[in-house]
Amino acid sequence: MRVPLRGSGITLCALLALLLAGTLAVSASATPAWTTYHRDAARSGADPDGVEARPPSLDWRSPDLGAPIWGQPLLLGGRVYVATVGDRLSALDAASGAVVWSTSLGTPVPAGALPCGDVTPTVGVVGTPVIDPGAGVIYAVADTWDAAAKEAHHVLVGLALADGKQVMRTLVDPPGADPKALLQRTALNLDAGHVVFGFGGNDGDCGEYRGAVVSVAEDGSPASFWQTPIALPSKSGGAVWATSGPAVDGEGHIFAATGNPNPPSGQTASTYDYSDSVVELSPSLALQGAFAPPNWEAESNSDLDLASAGPELLPGGMLFQAGKDGIGHLIAEASMGAQAPAVYNHAVCGGHGSFGGDSYAAGVIYIPCTNGVQALAYDPTARSFTPIWQGPGDAFGAPILSAGLVWSAATGGFNGGGTKLYGLDPASGAVRYTEMLPQPIADHFGSPSAGGGRLFISTGTSVTAYRVAQLTALSEPALSEPALSEPALSEPAAPGSSTPAAPGVARLLAAAPAAPVLLHRRLRVDSRGRVRLTLRCKPLGQRCRAGRLTLRACFTIHSGRGRHRARRIALVTLVHGSYRAGSGDFLVTLRLGRRARAHLGLHPEGLALRVAISAAGAGLRVFRATLN
């Protein structure tokens, strides 16, 4: 929302906003965290840790992990987590690449046992896992093989971050599905204590399947499903297969792109059935609405579906979606219930297709195109976007932002095997750095991750890390409450590591008092200035004590030049409030005053927040969030 300033005086909030308007304010991160594909539930792909750029240098390469990696490495504290198509999930030391633990999730499916596909030599974990830091668990979907029965099944497995021990395992094959015809390609996401992901078909679309979105409670309860209601004459299709997977907004709504239907040879699809669309689902997977392109029938019968890339959530209740036909659509979430047309659409990628997942930061959308990554300037007031540059033609991989650069891999296109990583100037797309990778990339739409001054990328059967930024010591105004309580989940260091051991996750959580946590980190302000926060009592089943909430905007202020350049963090209080004792999940509403709303109005791209939650005898918890 945009609210004009009133009055003649300029407050500290307004002054800081004016100083920082138009820049990317980077929040400090005591614990490096990239816990899901493109870092957060909205798939922003922006790393807040890389604050002082330096020329990239090879830091380490992990040992061979036994099978190709098709997902993005994840990071939390001092560990990197990665899964292979050999159904093995491993934790690596973030400083050295040494294996801390490695766990088998089952026997992977031999590629030759499937009727078609391009994942070889086995099909195991293909989609990027997701980490729940609060629970201390990482989740992955494994395609597993029963050799005796010659059957394949998909299972969601949860492993403890501390030691890789299995804490949850549940079957997630959709009802009536042939598991051999399904590929779990999408990244996983989290939504209010549930793991969310999609299903599509194998490369080649052999067999009969229906695309699906799946939600599984973290307690391992039976899965819930939404399946694309394919209309005759088609019996198959509607795949949810984009690498980035479903996006989740601050209210828990799920957005997923679906692929085209597959009518029999000689026939055409003509009845709209939510294929080749962006669908909005409630947290319980009830269909809330959908967007279909105006040329739905032509796209659906020409294999030019939207599902080649996932939805990108933007400030102001908007989302961006582009697919195989090279048309970008700007869609208002509020209008999807009526299947309204796009707010704005325009050709992107020079008419080529977009595959993988987008990123967004400081008013710019970065999208992966088959002819090179492209940047789009997003205007939230006009509700439109304008192409501003196109990167190298072989920069096919999904882009992210870290250390002041846009990073995209030359993945080798649809055949994989790329060996280059580009660092691009975010203003012009010019190549600042080109790094030659030590091993070819397996994932056709591979994307790096970043945190703690490093960039991580899956290279064949290993992970490679580059040092791309120097973390700067921070100077923050002291909070009035005790020190913040988000514990570092680094765990004991690997043997030989110089990193000191930290308390285990299980022990930290067991010792925590009954204080609530912030469930959703993407907050919104309505037209009346109200901000709704969902709190959860932890441990589950225990009652929370009454307490107070404080929302502070977090700004980075730079001064000086060259070697004397300094950086400090300024926290500006937006609103105080209180909450009553409760249990489970409960909603708290705060109302922003005039100054806070004016402050937000100067930053339509959103504000980085520190949300402090305190309760008598329960200490203080501080969570990073965004406010739009």
Side-chain angles (χ1 to χ4, degrees), residues 160-502:
L161 296 177
D163 53 15
K165 296 293 178 61
Q166 182 174 298
V167 297
M168 189 265 271
R169 189 179 187 93
T170 188
L171 187 68
V172 292
D173 289 322
D178 173 9
K180 290 184 180 179
L182 288 173
L183 181 65
Q184 201 290 295
R185 181 73 174 90
T186 78
L188 280 58
N189 210 335
L190 291 180
D191 184 10
H194 290 71
V195 182
V196 178
F197 52 91
F199 273 118
N202 296 301
D203 182 57
D205 267 350
C206 53
E208 290 189 4
Y209 72 90
R210 287 194 293 158
V213 176
V214 187
S215 177
V216 185
E218 293 185 64
D219 63 7
S221 301
S224 300
F225 303 90
W226 178 86
Q227 293 177 275
T228 311
I230 296 297
L232 293 173
S234 303
K235 296 181 181 179
S236 180
V240 181
W241 66 277
T243 312
S244 61
V248 179
D249 72 9
E251 298 176 351
H253 298 123
I254 301 163
F255 299 87
T258 60
N260 54 269
N262 299 320
S265 178
Q267 301 186 56
T268 59
S270 58
T271 301
Y272 180 67
D273 55 6
Y274 298 97
S275 60
D276 185 27
S277 299
V278 178
V279 296
E280 177 183 357
L281 307 173
S282 72
S284 62
L285 299 190
L287 182 66
Q288 302 289 292
F291 162 79
N295 58 341
W296 176 87
E297 189 168 343
E299 283 192 0
S300 295
N301 290 289
S302 304
D303 192 22
L304 289 175
D305 55 88
L306 288 171
S308 59
E312 178 72 18
L313 302 190
L314 302 173
M318 306 293 289
L319 66 86
F320 174 83
Q321 178 69 49
K324 293 181 181 179
D325 70 350
I327 302 295
H329 303 276
L330 200 58
I331 305 163
E333 296 178 18
S335 69
M336 291 182 69
Q339 293 182 19
V343 170
Y344 179 79
N345 51 44
H346 193 278
V348 297
C349 299
H352 293 249
S354 178
F355 289 77
D358 310 322
S359 291
Y360 172 81
V364 181
I365 309 166
Y366 302 90
I367 64 174
C369 302
T370 55
N371 61 334
V373 61
Q374 185 173 56
L376 310 172
Y378 168 54
D379 186 337
T381 303
R383 302 209 297 182
S384 65
F385 57 83
T386 304
I388 53 178
W389 56 256
Q390 189 105 32
D394 61 346
F396 192 101
I400 68 164
L401 295 100
S402 182
L405 296 176
V406 178
W407 299 91
S408 176
T411 62
F414 295 109
N415 296 318
T419 56
K420 284 190 291 187
L421 175 66
Y422 288 112
L424 309 177
D425 187 307
S428 65
V431 177
R432 293 273 298 276
Y433 302 107
T434 302
E435 296 297 316
M436 300 306 296
L437 302 173
Q439 190 175 2
I441 297 171
D443 183 0
H444 307 169
F445 316 126
S447 183
S449 53
R454 293 183 177 90
L455 186 141
F456 308 93
I457 186 166
S458 300
T459 47
T461 58
S462 65
V463 175
T464 301
Y466 292 88
R467 175 70 71 175
V468 296
Q470 184 67 43
L471 297 185
T472 307
L474 304 182
S475 173
E476 287 193 17
L479 301 179
S480 57
E481 297 91 341
L484 57 90
S485 64
E486 276 188 305
L489 303 183
S490 57
E491 305 302 326
S497 170
S498 60
T499 304

Side-chain angles (χ1 to χ4, degrees), residues 68 139 155 175 294 416 505 619:
Y139 298 95
V155 293
V505 171

